[in-house]
Amino acid sequence: MGSNTPPSRAALEPFATLDPAALAGLPASSPLTVRSAAISSPYLYLGTGGGKLLLFTLDSPSPDFLRLLPIGPTRPVSAILPLPAVARLLLLADGLLLLADPLLSRPVRRLGSVRNVAAVAARASESDDDRPSCSLAVSVGKKLLLVDLTLHDADELEVRTRDIALVDGVKALAWVGDSVFVGTASGYSLFSTTNAQGGDIFTLPESSRPPRVKPLSGGDEVMLLVDNVGVVVDRSGHPVGSSFVFNTTPDCIAEVYPYVVVAGDSKVDVYRRKNGAHLQAIPFARPGTGGLIVASEDAGIGSDVVVIATAYKVFCYRKVSAVEQIKALLRRKSYAEAISLLQEFEADGEISNDMISFVHAQLGFLLFFDLRFEDAVNHFLLSETMQPAEIFPFIMRDPNRWSDLVPRKRYWGLHAPPKPLEEVIDDGLVTLQQALFLKKAGVDTVVDDDFLSNPPSRADLLEVAIRNIIRYLCASREKDLSSSEMEGVDTLLMYLYRALNLVDDMEKLASSQNSCVVEELESLLDDSGHLRTLAFLYGSKGMCSKSLGIWRILARNYSTGLWKDHAILPETDSLETSVGKMSGEEIAAVEASKILQASSDQDLVLEHLGWVADIDQELATAILTSEMREKQLSPEKVVAAIDPEKVGIHQRYLQWLIEEQECDEPHYHTSYALSLSRSAMDAVRLGSNNEERNNKEFDSDMQFIYLLRERLQFFLQSSDLYDPEEVLYVISESELWLEKAILYRKMGQENIVLQILALKLEDSEAAEQYCAEIGRDDAYIQLLDLYLDPKNGKGPMFTAAVRLLHNHGESLDPIQVLERLSADMPLQLASDTILRMLRARVHHHRQGQVVHNLSRATNLDARLTRLEERSRHVQLTDESICDSCRARLGTKLFVMYPDDSVVCYRCYRNQGDSASPHGRNFRKGGIFKQSWLVSR
């Protein structure tokens, strides 16, 4: 991790320079040499080589000197550790640990009796009893000590010390979590503060610089320095991520999240914490004594200030905000770097979503004015706060209908105000020409080298710009915009489509749901000849009359050859009848039919029905029979408006009216029957006259005639509302015999029906079926008469007569049959049938006699049983009682019921003869005895 590329941006910016000696009021003869520095917001502490501690405040634009605290002239302050948890400042001076109050208002005090302290590190914590406390790791000689500090109410510190390890030659310490990281000349090791167990992390080469340990923000990671390489490890000492590779070997390391600040070799370098990228180099004059010191607040995250100290000067820097860094790059037109930086800040959460959108919009405008239209629109689309109206001035010159919608944003003022696209391109081309001239003169410019090496033409730039603005407006249509904004987006989108003559896109937009303002577009589209688009637009806005008028004109012009036929159906068409390619005339009819099918304006529908029917009768029928309109058309007006020559439309409309709308008006039923009859007669006549046909044409004609007659026959049979006499009059001279039979049947003319079925059609099965429907035997005799005496010069139909007798002769009177048989009829044809008929007759007669005799026997047995039942004797004694009132009968009159119950006469009169004392009702349920069965 790391980069040797030259830094390209300023992550830190100076805001103050301090001369500690001058600010402290010391004479020039007593200079101060800064040996250490620390920040504990809002204070800055400086330790000197002469044993002094200086306090400055950083909460004002210019740091102010507050106080100087002498420690001792022989005690140089080599380290300062703020301990805010216990309200103390820990100093490492000449191997001693000293404590001072944060405001340096009291003299310092020694911490314990330890001497020769090599290094110290602090860890903030909270004790169990909620008293403020902190812990220190201290290296003294070969011992590693832990010192616990607890603050009591009287501002007294309780100090407890314990040993955890023996380590020799400690140079650096850091305490993270439960682990103390130790750096020695030989390498790095780690010790646990919970169990005092330790272990080596890795060793250092013999020629390595002194070790340095720096806890990183968040308290989860530590940087271990190996010369100019910073190895990042976790709390357990395991490497995480990639290592930092610094340009020089650091003398001091600080962190201002998300940056790592490294001092060394008379300069300070700034690196990105996440990926180690080198961002900034701050040079300094080589210090006279010592090295550069950098310090920041130990909190890391949230701190903004870092101080850089030389021996005699202190330079205060603050972190440049993400916004300012991006703005600086955009100002230099370093777009790629600005985008990369924006992505980094976005990934780290250092920039708000609103600002991300703001930057994308600003970047888009800069790229737009640099004629990089595709990249510009890509950034426009990434901005969630940019409004589509901000693009309007590029398309339509102010003032216009939507001028008030355009927000007066200037962003960071890095680009010119929006102006018409042609002017943007012209100005950009002028800038490009100037850049080419400067480049030839050897002067560097910020213009893209691709443009300079291959400059585009004005026409190409204009087309690219329009196509990309179209892309942005199309994406904007998916946003939740106000009605005014949607009107502007759709209307200007149509402008741009027209500018590039994108006919398909124009028609797709116009025919779909849109917010286009018709007044802004109708003259424009009319003048440019985009009448189809205008027709679609009128239709989508409910201006049906205007739309239909245009489609009518288009259909007429296509048919006369005035206009070129588009020959391809637009994507908006969804009619099932539209398959494959269609002519322009057909497309006009299809689109008109869509409007007419949904319209309830009767006059408008009938006005345009004619020309649609001239192109496609199926479409005309669909218009008349549409279920999409709220109010159906008047059948009377529709029938009157249909061209008499358009028989198909007339028939299908009447069929829909009768079958779908369940119209019960006899007039329409009769009209439908008459129309079908005439069509059937014409089809039969044409079929019989056209002899110059091949087999395929003949089969097709026969199929058409069959289907037409089938439809006629079905209607004649199913409807009872038409006038059969009127229909019969029309077909009386035709060969439509089955249709005539149906009509005569409706009129009750049984004999004529039988004549047609039996003699004209010679359909014996149908004739016999009709006789069965009549339900009288004389109908079969009548049919037999027709078979045996057809008249009109036709010979007897003996085979049909024999079939009739064979199927139904058993139910006919033999005498009547024999009387009608002709002497000319061959005996062998009818002998078997007549014989079987006679045998059946005898069998039926004898069967009737048997049934009659059995009935008489049954009747006789029933009468005898009844007589026996009525003459049955009943014996009563003195103990017999009434089954109803339970009184003794004695010599009283009594009555016995069929279920053998006995009651006195008084009870009989009370309850009648239909119910017995046992609860049986003889009217609802009879009684049956085994002795009543007929045994003879």
Side-chain angles (χ1 to χ4, degrees):
M1 192 157 70
S3 173
N4 291 323
T5 58
S8 59
R9 68 175 190 264
L12 301 177
E13 61 180 359
F15 69 93
T17 300
L18 305 179
D19 184 346
L23 291 174
L26 298 177
S29 59
S30 303
L32 295 176
T33 57
V34 179
R35 296 287 298 275
S36 59
I39 296 175
S40 180
S41 183
Y43 302 118
L44 166 64
Y45 300 95
L46 298 178
T48 72
K52 295 181 176 61
L53 188 63
L54 286 76
L55 174 63
F56 297 84
T57 179
L58 297 176
D59 59 356
S60 60
S62 177
D64 294 329
F65 170 75
L66 295 181
R67 189 170 285 111
L68 183 148
L69 179 65
I71 296 175
T74 61
R75 295 177 178 175
V77 182
S78 58
I80 304 173
L81 277 74
L83 304 177
V86 293
R88 294 291 189 274
L89 199 66
L90 180 67
L91 310 176
L92 177 58
D94 194 25
L96 301 177
L97 293 180
L98 306 175
L99 291 174
D101 67 284
L103 295 178
L104 308 185
S105 59
R106 298 190 297 270
V108 298
R109 295 173 53 190
R110 283 187 63 181
L111 176 63
S113 59
V114 295
R115 291 178 177 274
N116 301 320
V117 175
V120 63
R123 174 199 178 193
S125 65
E126 294 291 337
S127 62
D128 294 338
D129 55 1
D130 294 333
R131 288 177 180 175
S133 65
C134 72
S135 299
L136 304 175
V138 181
S139 174
V140 181
K142 296 182 179 182
K143 292 183 179 181
L144 183 60
L145 307 177
L146 292 187
V147 180
D148 295 324
L149 304 178
T150 304
L151 181 65
H152 293 277
D153 294 339
D155 198 29
E156 293 293 329
L157 280 180
E158 178 184 351
V159 181
R160 290 176 294 178
T161 305
R162 57 190 173 96
D163 298 351
I164 64 168
L166 294 176
V167 187
D168 191 15
V170 175
K171 303 293 185 181
L173 287 177
W175 192 344
V176 176
D178 294 329
S179 301
V180 175
F181 290 83
V182 178
T184 67
S186 60
Y188 292 98
S189 57
L190 179 148
F191 294 91
S192 172
T193 59
T194 57
N195 55 22
Q197 297 295 319
D200 293 336
I201 301 176
F202 58 81
T203 60
L204 291 174
E206 293 182 359
S207 60
S208 295
R209 296 284 296 273
R212 295 189 184 278
V213 184
K214 175 62 182 178
L216 298 179
S217 56
D220 292 326
E221 297 175 350
V222 178
M223 179 185 293
L224 308 178
L225 195 64
V226 183
D227 291 335
N228 69 324
V229 177
V231 180
V232 181
V233 298
D234 60 16
R235 293 185 177 188
S236 301
H238 300 136
V240 291
S242 302
S243 300
F244 286 81
V245 179
F246 302 118
N247 293 339
T248 59
T249 301
D251 294 325
C252 190
I253 303 174
E255 183 186 18
V256 181
Y257 189 82
Y259 309 118
V260 174
V261 184
V262 175
D265 196 19
S266 302
K267 66 176 180 176
V268 173
D269 293 300
V270 182
Y271 297 86
R272 185 159 185 82
R273 167 72 180 85
K274 185 174 182 180
N275 55 19
H278 186 208
L279 304 179
Q280 184 180 5
I282 305 174
F284 286 90
R286 184 173 297 275
T289 60
L292 291 173
I293 300 171
V294 291
S296 63
E297 193 164 5
D298 286 341
I301 296 178
S303 61
D304 291 332
V305 177
V306 60
V307 296
I308 304 171
T310 64
Y312 305 108
K313 295 286 186 180
V314 177
F315 304 92
C316 299
Y317 282 76
R318 67 164 57 93
K319 185 171 61 175
V320 180
S321 68
V323 171
E324 291 300 324
Q325 292 187 54
I326 295 173
K327 186 189 298 184
L329 291 174
L330 294 181
R331 190 174 287 113
R332 300 201 307 265
K333 294 188 179 294
S334 299
Y335 300 139
E337 296 177 42
I339 294 170
S340 176
L341 184 60
L342 177 63
Q343 293 171 346
E344 292 178 8
F345 287 141
E346 183 178 3
D348 292 341
E350 298 182 48
I351 189 169
S352 66
N353 290 333
D354 286 345
M355 182 53 65
I356 292 172
S357 295
F358 180 93
V359 172
H360 278 301
Q362 173 66 91
L363 186 54
F365 279 108
L366 288 171
L367 290 167
F368 199 92
F369 279 94
D370 283 353
L371 308 185
R372 295 169 58 179
F373 302 113
E374 183 176 359
D375 293 337
V377 169
N378 289 340
H379 286 283
F380 288 155
L381 294 175
L382 291 174
S383 174
E384 297 178 358
T385 58
M386 180 175 173
Q387 303 175 34
E390 296 179 53
I391 299 295
F392 292 177
F394 291 118
I395 307 170
M396 182 175 285
R397 190 180 300 275
D398 286 334
N400 57 65
R401 181 188 290 263
W402 300 283
S403 295
D404 294 339
L405 295 178
V406 180
R408 303 306 173 188
K409 291 183 181 178
R410 289 295 295 122
Y411 292 94
W412 288 328
L414 303 180
H415 65 274
K419 51 188 173 183
L421 189 56
E422 293 84 351
E423 296 182 14
V424 172
I425 294 175
D426 291 339
D427 292 346
L429 289 175
V430 170
T431 302
L432 187 60
Q433 292 296 325
Q434 292 174 348
L436 284 171
F437 178 79
L438 293 174
K439 185 177 181 180
K440 292 178 181 179
V443 180
D444 292 334
T445 67
V446 295
V447 178
D448 194 330
D449 289 339
D450 292 338
F451 272 154
L452 295 177
S453 60
N454 187 23
S457 67
R458 185 179 188 275
D460 290 342
L461 285 172
L462 188 59
E463 180 177 353
V464 171
I466 292 176
R467 288 190 181 277
N468 281 282
I469 295 178
I470 287 174
R471 183 162 61 94
Y472 176 75
L473 293 180
C474 287
S476 300
R477 298 189 78 216
E478 305 299 324
K479 296 182 179 180
D480 185 15
L481 304 177
S482 66
S483 58
S484 298
E485 286 178 304
M486 280 303 302
E487 288 179 356
V489 168
D490 284 358
T491 304
L492 297 181
L493 188 57
M494 186 68 77
Y495 265 94
L496 298 178
Y497 282 151
R498 174 193 167 275
L500 297 182
N501 198 33
L502 301 177
V503 177
D504 290 342
D505 293 317
M506 293 171 65
E507 294 180 0
K508 184 176 181 180
L509 174 61
S511 60
S512 63
Q513 184 177 359
N514 64 79
S515 301
C516 293
V517 179
V518 177
E519 294 81 357
E520 294 283 338
L521 294 173
E522 55 185 344
S523 60
L524 182 75
L525 296 175
D526 192 6
D527 295 342
S528 62
H530 293 97
L531 293 186
R532 284 165 52 96
T533 301
L534 185 56
F536 281 126
L537 185 59
Y538 281 143
S540 67
K541 298 302 179 182
M543 305 169 71
C544 300
S545 180
K546 289 187 175 182
S547 178
L548 291 169
I550 294 178
W551 288 121
R552 187 172 191 170
I553 293 172
L554 291 175
R556 182 171 63 248
N557 290 343
Y558 284 132
S559 64
T560 57
L562 292 178
W563 284 8
K564 183 180 179 181
D565 198 334
H566 284 257
I568 298 179
L569 189 67
E571 295 179 2
T572 55
D573 184 81
S574 60
L575 246 62
E576 295 180 359
T577 57
S578 303
V579 180
K581 293 185 176 181
M582 298 178 63
S583 67
E585 184 183 21
E586 291 170 329
I587 293 174
V590 168
E591 297 303 330
S593 72
K594 292 179 183 178
I595 300 173
L596 295 172
Q597 287 180 47
S599 175
S600 298
D601 187 338
Q602 181 169 272
D603 294 337
L604 183 66
V605 172
L606 298 182
E607 176 187 354
H608 293 275
L609 178 66
W611 68 266
V612 175
D614 292 338
I615 298 172
D616 191 329
Q617 294 193 20
E618 294 291 339
L619 289 177
T621 303
I623 292 171
L624 297 177
T625 61
S626 172
E627 301 285 351
M628 293 188 292
R629 57 175 57 96
E630 296 178 358
K631 181 182 179 182
Q632 288 300 332
L633 309 177
S634 167
E636 182 180 1
K637 296 289 184 65
V638 170
V639 172
I642 296 176
D643 187 347
E645 295 184 0
K646 304 294 190 303
V647 177
I649 300 176
H650 183 260
Q651 290 179 1
R652 285 190 289 272
Y653 175 73
L654 291 177
Q655 181 183 10
W656 171 81
L657 192 65
I658 294 169
E659 297 178 1
E660 301 295 331
Q661 301 300 111
E662 299 181 353
C663 175
D664 56 1
E665 175 62 44
H667 169 69
Y668 297 119
H669 284 251
T670 302
S671 297
Y672 184 48
L674 291 173
S675 180
L676 287 177
S677 299
R678 293 188 180 97
S679 297
M681 291 168 58
D682 294 340
V684 171
R685 183 172 60 255
L686 291 174
S688 60
N689 293 337
N690 192 357
E691 297 179 355
E692 298 179 358
R693 292 174 295 177
N694 55 36
N695 292 335
K696 185 176 181 180
E697 292 174 344
F698 178 80
D699 292 341
S700 177
D701 291 345
M702 290 301 101
Q703 180 71 11
F704 172 74
I705 294 173
Y706 171 78
L707 293 175
L708 181 58
R709 292 191 62 184
E710 183 181 46
R711 182 150 57 104
L712 172 60
Q713 293 162 11
F714 176 80
F715 178 73
L716 294 178
Q717 289 177 340
S718 60
S719 175
D720 295 324
L721 298 177
Y722 63 88
D723 185 349
E725 293 184 2
E726 189 172 350
V727 179
L728 186 61
Y729 176 78
V730 172
I731 67 172
S732 59
E733 301 299 326
S734 70
E735 297 296 322
L736 304 179
W737 292 108
L738 184 55
E739 289 80 353
K740 292 179 182 179
I742 296 172
L743 293 171
Y744 279 119
R745 180 181 177 183
K746 290 282 185 181
M747 298 166 60
Q749 302 291 330
E750 298 175 0
N751 186 50
I752 301 179
V753 175
L754 287 175
Q755 289 181 33
I756 294 174
L757 295 176
L759 304 182
K760 292 294 185 181
L761 301 176
E762 297 185 358
D763 190 344
S764 300
E765 183 177 356
E768 293 175 17
Q769 177 64 29
Y770 181 59
C771 291
E773 293 175 5
I774 294 175
R776 302 191 311 272
D777 290 344
D778 64 311
Y780 292 106
I781 297 297
Q782 186 178 0
L783 180 59
L784 181 61
D785 288 337
L786 291 175
Y787 284 149
L788 297 177
D789 186 15
K791 297 186 173 56
N792 295 328
K794 192 172 185 179
M797 302 169 65
F798 294 126
T799 302
V802 170
R803 170 192 166 92
L804 175 63
L805 294 176
H806 176 78
N807 292 337
H808 306 283
E810 297 179 0
S811 62
L812 303 180
D813 186 351
I815 302 299
Q816 294 184 11
V817 173
L818 292 174
E819 288 177 350
R820 284 164 173 75
L821 292 180
S822 170
D824 298 332
M825 183 177 183
L827 184 61
Q828 65 273 18
L829 290 177
S831 59
D832 292 340
T833 301
I834 295 173
L835 181 60
R836 187 168 58 254
M837 183 178 66
L838 293 176
R839 287 174 179 172
R841 196 71 176 181
V842 171
H843 172 72
H844 289 320
H845 173 69
R846 291 176 178 173
Q847 190 177 41
Q849 287 180 330
V850 171
V851 172
H852 175 69
N853 290 332
L854 288 175
S855 298
R856 289 184 61 189
T858 301
N859 180 263
L860 180 59
D861 280 347
R863 291 169 64 188
L864 288 174
T865 302
R866 184 169 180 270
L867 180 61
E868 291 174 358
E869 188 69 23
R870 294 178 66 88
S871 61
R872 185 156 58 99
H873 291 77
V874 179
Q875 183 177 358
L876 300 178
T877 65
D878 291 339
E879 301 298 326
S880 299
I881 61 175
C882 174
D883 289 334
S884 179
C885 66
R886 316 308 291 177
R888 292 182 181 275
L889 293 176
T891 59
K892 297 178 182 177
L893 290 176
F894 66 90
V895 175
M896 185 178 71
Y897 286 92
D899 62 354
D900 296 338
S901 58
V902 178
V903 298
C904 63
Y905 191 73
R906 185 181 64 179
C907 292
Y908 166 73
R909 292 188 62 184
N910 290 336
Q911 63 190 27
D913 57 5
S914 61
S916 73
H918 294 160
R920 178 182 291 275
N921 191 321
F922 300 114
R923 295 186 183 277
K924 294 183 178 180
I927 189 170
F928 177 79
K929 293 183 178 181
Q930 188 70 22
S931 60
W932 294 355
L933 289 173
V934 177
S935 59
R936 293 177 288 276

